[in-house]
Amino acid sequence: MNIHVMDKFAKSLIKEAAGRIRSSFSSELVVESKSAANDLVTNIDKETEQFFIKQIKKEFPDQRILGEEGFGDEISHLNGYIWILDPIDGTMNFIHQKKNFAISLGIYKDGVGLLGYIYNVMDDDLISATLGEGAFFNDIRIPLLTDGLLGQAIIGINTSWVLPNKYLEHEGIVKLLQKVRGTRSYGSAAIEIGYVVTGRLDAYMSMRLSPWDIAGGMVIANEVGAIVTTLSNHPINLLVQNTFIVARPVVHSEILDEYVRVK
C-alpha cells in the first residue's frame, strides 16, 4: 500500500466532507442525545460518517473503519489497516456556535499510526502527519516542540475536574491550576490536541476520551515530540475509552509526577 497515495486520498476526502458540513448550515439540523443528555449527535454527524465510509470502502474495500456514530466495522483487534474517524469532534460547538469543531482521522496498520489529520472545518486549517515524515500545518512543517516550564504553561482542561469526582483526586488538580499560567477549554479534543502540537497549548488532558477523539492527533503528536499517555502514564489503548494527556515532555512529566492522582 502506497502511503502517499492514501494520504492524498484522505486529504481530498476530508476537504470534501468539510464542504458538505458547511453546506448543511442552510438545512434542518436534527439533534439527538446518545449516552447522556449532553452527549449529542446530529443528522450531519451521521451523514458525514456514512459519506466517509462509502468512499473509503469504494477505494479500499478490505480496510476497516471505526467511527464514532457506529456505521463502520466492529473492531475487536488492531490487525491490518484501520481508519479511526470522528466526523464532527465538538458536536455541541457545531450545534450552538457553528465553529470550534473538527474532523479527526487516524489511519493505522497493525496498531501503528501511519497518517493523522485534524481539520478545523470553519477555519480551513489542516494539521496532518505521516509516520516518520513530520507534521504539517496547512503544508508548513511544524517544528519539534521544545520543553517549557509548567509555571509558564497554558493547559487545556475542563475545570470541572477541580470539583470532587470519581476519576481523580481533585485537590491535585486545584494545585495544578494554581501552578500554571492559565487554562483553556475549547470543547473539542481534536482542536485542543491540535493546539498542543502547534505550540499554542503546552498540555491537554481529559478524563474520558474514545479512540476516534484522539487517533489522528496521536499520530501528529508523535511526529512533533509531544508525549501521549493515559493519566496513569500508560500507553493508549485504541480499543477502549481512556484518560488522556498530550504535552511537551517536561510538562507531561511534572503534571503526572506532582499533580495527578488517579482513583
Side-chain angles (χ1 to χ4, degrees), residues 9 11 14 20 34 60 70 86 99 103 116 134 144 149 152 181 184 186 192 215 232 237:
F9 172 76
K11 287 175 178 174
I14 288 168
R20 294 165 65 97
K34 295 192 287 186
F60 305 107
D86 193 338
K99 63 183 297 185
I103 296 170
L144 293 175
L149 300 174
Q152 297 175 358
R181 179 168 283 172
R184 300 290 185 270
Y186 297 95
E192 300 201 52
S232 299
N237 180 350

Side-chain angles (χ1 to χ4, degrees), residues 108-181:
Y108 285 68
K109 183 183 180 184
D110 299 329
V112 176
L114 301 181
L115 297 162
Y117 310 91
I118 297 170
Y119 183 67
N120 186 317
V121 173
M122 300 311 294
D123 289 351
D124 190 25
D125 286 333
L126 176 63
I127 304 173
S128 62
T130 302
L131 176 65
E133 298 183 11
F136 295 83
F137 179 83
N138 291 337
D139 298 323
I140 299 172
R141 181 179 286 274
I142 301 171
L144 293 175
L145 294 178
T146 57
D147 275 327
L149 300 174
L150 185 60
Q152 297 175 358
I154 300 175
I155 64 171
I157 186 172
N158 184 331
T159 52
S160 65
W161 301 112
V162 302
L163 302 174
N165 63 85
K166 64 182 180 180
Y167 299 99
L168 299 174
E169 298 292 346
H170 71 284
E171 295 90 348
I173 304 302
V174 173
K175 292 178 181 177
L176 173 63
L177 269 56
Q178 293 170 336
K179 173 72 173 181
V180 300
R181 179 168 283 172

Side-chain angles (χ1 to χ4, degrees), residues 193 196 203-209 214 217-218 221-222 225-238 241-249 251-257 260 262:
I193 296 169
V196 173
Y204 165 65
M205 53 193 292
S206 182
M207 306 314 126
R208 52 180 188 271
L209 292 178
I214 58 179
M218 285 173 56
N222 289 335
I227 306 299
V228 177
T229 67
T230 70
L231 290 173
S232 299
N233 206 17
H234 295 146
I236 298 293
N237 180 350
L238 285 174
Q241 276 195 337
N242 296 269
T243 60
F244 181 83
I245 180 170
V246 56
R248 298 176 188 268
V251 171
H252 177 277
S253 298
E254 191 170 350
I255 288 175
L256 294 194
D257 291 346
V260 171
V262 178

Side-chain angles (χ1 to χ4, degrees), residues 63-76:
Q63 299 184 12
R64 295 182 296 153
I65 305 161
L66 175 60
E68 178 176 13
E69 309 312 333
F71 296 106
D73 300 289
E74 291 290 331
I75 303 294
S76 60

